[in-house]
Amino acid sequence: MDELDRTEFFRRFNAAFGIMDFSDMQYEIESVICGNGEAAVKGVNKRTDEDGNVRNFCYCDVYTLDRELPEKVKSITTFVIELQKEKHTNSY
């Protein structure tokens, strides 16, 4: 697989979620798991869109680490989904 550069990653993210500006995105890490040359980070990104709506995204980054230099990342796979707002209804 060809290496995906940062510009192309954000172009694809924008195509999927309609976000052009990532400078104001807030990141929250919920958990980190490491072992056997791999690591995973799970969390939530929050961003306010142009209309003032807060949009929440859940992400998971999966890293493959170099066995000889474990601080070096050989590859990364990122999964992102947008969390939908819960709709509350009154029931009588």
Side-chain angles (χ1 to χ4, degrees):
M1 179 186 295
D2 292 332
E3 184 177 320
L4 183 66
D5 70 16
R6 185 175 174 84
T7 303
E8 179 63 11
F9 169 80
F10 286 122
R11 188 195 67 74
R12 290 183 186 183
F13 196 87
N14 178 47
F17 298 107
I19 295 176
M20 295 293 289
D21 181 12
F22 295 87
S23 63
D24 65 345
M25 193 169 278
Q26 300 170 355
Y27 295 88
E28 178 183 326
I29 296 174
E30 294 178 345
S31 62
V32 177
I33 302 169
C34 297
N36 297 323
E38 294 182 319
V41 177
K42 179 181 72 120
V44 176
N45 300 342
K46 296 180 183 182
R47 170 179 197 289
T48 303
D49 67 16
E50 294 79 18
D51 297 326
N53 301 309
V54 175
R55 296 176 65 185
N56 297 299
F57 302 88
C58 184
Y59 71 91
C60 180
D61 295 333
V62 181
Y63 300 87
T64 302
L65 307 174
D66 187 311
R67 293 211 182 260
E68 294 176 14
L69 299 167
E71 66 277 2
K72 181 178 178 184
V73 175
K74 289 175 65 175
S75 68
I76 180 172
T77 302
T78 299
F79 301 93
V80 180
I81 59 170
E82 185 168 8
L83 302 174
Q84 299 298 313
K85 291 182 182 178
E86 291 184 30
K87 294 183 179 178
H88 298 282
T89 58
N90 293 330
S91 56
Y92 296 98

